[in-house]
Amino acid sequence: MPDAKFAADNAPALSLIICTLNEGAAIRSVVTEIGEHLSGIDYEIVVVDDDSKDNTAAEVLDLGKSDPRVRLFVRKGERGLSSAAIKGWDIAKGRVLGIMDGDGQHDPVAIRALADMILAGDKDLVCASRYIGKTETGLSFIRDLGSKAATLATGLVLKVPLTDPMSGCFMMTRDWYDTARPNLTGVGFKILVDVVASTKVKPRFGEVKAALRQRQGGESKLDIRVVLDLAALLVEKATNGIITARFVLFGLVGVSGAFVYALVLAISHYLLRVEGALPLYRYQVRWDDIINYGLAIWLSMTWNFWLNNILTFRDKRLKGWPMLTGLLGFYFACSIGAILSLGVAILLKDYFGFHWFAAGISAALLSGVWNYWGAKALAWNQKKGI
């Protein structure tokens, strides 16, 4: 929650958060340029850096030596624009909170217009929009099409008529932000959607037209994970948090794991032949069945762990030795889930009379919930809040 050092009496009018990851080539010019356009406004710039491996932090620290309004906060072992933005707002001191990218794509002229609009005192949220009028958006055809599709989807969930809910440049009053803060998800890159969908207080709202400029440095963070993050976030907000965004991603990974399981099983069934059987109670279990099913289970579980590590829990991504111990914890959790699924399926079918398919699906859903919580507790159990 907001920094205890925050004091309303000496707070700057505006705190502008810039979230960075390897933006060393652009960050100096971005901070310098935006400072020039904010002339006459009492402001601070807080750069929240996800432990960049280039010179981003050094550039910001050097800027801060000559301008105390520029601050740096480096996060260790965490990733994600949304969670970085939330961290920045929580430690900011301003009465108005804003965000912009660190790669130079956001137009400082539009940012000044946003600042003037919200500091006038009759708005709670103001956003830069690429979809006001018919001017160029600054996006490629594919990205523009995807952004418009995402805008249509978010319109079904959000209560605010945003023309560009994918915007990464906006400002809001601290009071309105505080109404959303307890329900923020902090997942992915689309922080505006998260904020607007996390409060029941409808903001006094305004927009400014702004096309994206040429990127001055760094690389685009847009990939399939951003799309999946947005879809998962919308599910969470549409269900009022009953189904969390992280659980949606975990479920999608589980579905992909089922395809891996089926593929491995099909290949090994035709390629692997082992003679003999293992006596088990009253049955003779063929060795090739044990190996085939065991291999399919092991590889699908390993696939699920790897994909969850780079998608579902990428803000807590495991590396090195913790990755090995996390993998073993994941194996254990999912093994318990498999046993639980088998027992519940048999119980529902043979004792309660469920149809075999309904029993299997119900058991799979229950084991999925267990696997999710077990994985969080035994694999990705770092204490990192948003």
Side-chain angles (χ1 to χ4, degrees):
M1 295 304 290
D3 196 320
K5 296 180 180 179
F6 169 74
D9 292 339
N10 60 6
L14 170 66
S15 290
L16 188 59
I17 309 304
I18 302 178
C19 303
T20 58
L21 177 62
N22 299 325
E23 311 283 6
I27 191 62
R28 177 178 289 274
S29 62
V30 168
V31 172
T32 301
E33 186 180 27
I34 196 62
E36 294 171 353
H37 281 78
L38 292 178
S39 176
I41 295 177
D42 184 14
Y43 72 90
E44 68 169 349
I45 294 176
V46 181
V47 177
V48 180
D49 183 63
D50 280 355
D51 198 16
S52 295
K53 301 309 178 185
D54 64 359
N55 62 330
T56 301
E59 291 284 350
V60 177
L61 288 173
D62 188 57
L63 286 166
K65 292 177 181 178
S66 58
D67 188 350
R69 294 173 298 182
V70 178
R71 294 197 283 147
L72 172 69
F73 183 89
V74 178
R75 303 198 304 167
K76 299 289 187 178
E78 297 181 78
R79 290 288 186 271
L81 185 144
S82 291
S83 58
I86 295 169
K87 181 62 181 180
W89 291 327
D90 283 352
I91 65 175
K93 302 175 182 178
R95 297 186 295 274
V96 169
L97 306 172
I99 185 170
M100 63 174 291
D101 286 349
D103 57 11
Q105 286 192 296
H106 288 147
D107 188 349
V109 174
I111 293 171
R112 176 59 192 243
L114 290 175
D116 289 339
M117 183 182 292
I118 197 165
L119 290 174
D122 59 351
K123 296 289 189 291
D124 301 306
L125 172 68
V126 294
C127 305
S129 172
R130 295 160 291 183
Y131 301 114
I132 298 175
K134 297 182 179 180
T135 55
E136 292 295 323
T137 63
L139 296 173
S140 66
F141 174 77
I142 296 299
R143 289 189 63 184
D144 185 53
L145 186 63
S147 183
K148 289 178 178 177
T151 297
L152 179 62
T154 56
L156 301 175
V157 177
L158 302 183
K159 302 177 179 64
V160 176
L162 300 172
T163 63
D164 190 3
M166 302 299 102
S167 175
C169 182
F170 61 92
M171 297 180 188
M172 59 192 166
T173 63
R174 179 180 289 275
D175 288 342
W176 186 74
Y177 168 71
D178 287 341
T179 67
R181 179 61 180 88
N183 299 317
L184 289 176
T185 302
V187 170
F189 287 76
K190 301 309 174 185
I191 182 61
L192 178 57
V193 176
D194 197 359
V195 173
V196 173
S198 295
T199 177
K200 296 180 180 180
V201 179
K202 188 174 181 178
R204 297 171 297 170
F205 173 65
E207 290 182 315
V208 170
K209 171 63 184 179
L212 293 178
R213 304 191 305 173
Q214 186 71 30
R215 182 179 290 108
Q216 297 179 23
E219 299 178 353
S220 173
K221 310 302 188 296
L222 180 64
D223 57 20
I224 186 62
R225 293 176 299 179
V226 175
V227 177
L228 294 176
D229 283 340
L230 177 61
L233 176 61
L234 292 177
V235 170
E236 174 168 330
K237 298 306 179 182
T239 60
N240 292 318
I242 296 176
I243 303 176
T244 67
R246 207 184 290 273
F247 182 75
V248 173
L249 295 174
F250 189 86
L252 291 174
V253 170
V255 171
S256 73
F259 282 101
V260 172
Y261 174 86
L263 179 63
V264 173
L265 192 61
I267 293 174
S268 62
H269 176 77
Y270 286 103
L271 297 182
L272 186 62
R273 289 290 184 270
V274 179
E275 298 298 328
L278 175 68
L280 186 64
Y281 191 44
R282 300 178 181 178
Y283 305 97
Q284 295 288 320
V285 183
R286 293 175 54 88
W287 277 111
D288 52 1
D289 285 341
I290 294 175
I291 295 174
N292 288 340
Y293 284 109
L295 182 64
I297 291 172
W298 173 62
L299 288 178
S300 64
M301 288 171 62
T302 304
W303 164 267
N304 283 358
F305 173 81
W306 173 77
L307 199 54
N308 276 311
N309 196 46
I310 64 174
L311 177 64
T312 311
F313 297 99
R314 70 174 179 271
D315 56 323
K316 303 180 179 182
R317 186 175 299 173
L318 301 174
K319 297 179 180 179
W321 179 253
M323 188 172 183
L324 177 59
T325 57
L327 176 61
L328 295 177
F330 186 78
Y331 284 158
F332 179 77
C334 291
S335 297
I336 297 298
I339 296 172
L340 177 65
S341 178
L342 176 62
V344 169
I346 293 174
L347 181 66
L348 292 178
K349 177 178 177 294
D350 294 342
Y351 187 79
F352 290 100
F354 277 48
H355 185 275
W356 63 267
F357 184 77
I361 293 298
S362 300
L365 291 173
L366 181 61
S367 66
V369 173
W370 161 261
N371 288 343
Y372 172 67
W373 290 107
K376 286 183 64 176
L378 299 176
W380 295 278
N381 57 1
Q382 299 97 324
K383 303 297 183 182
K384 295 176 181 175
I386 61 171

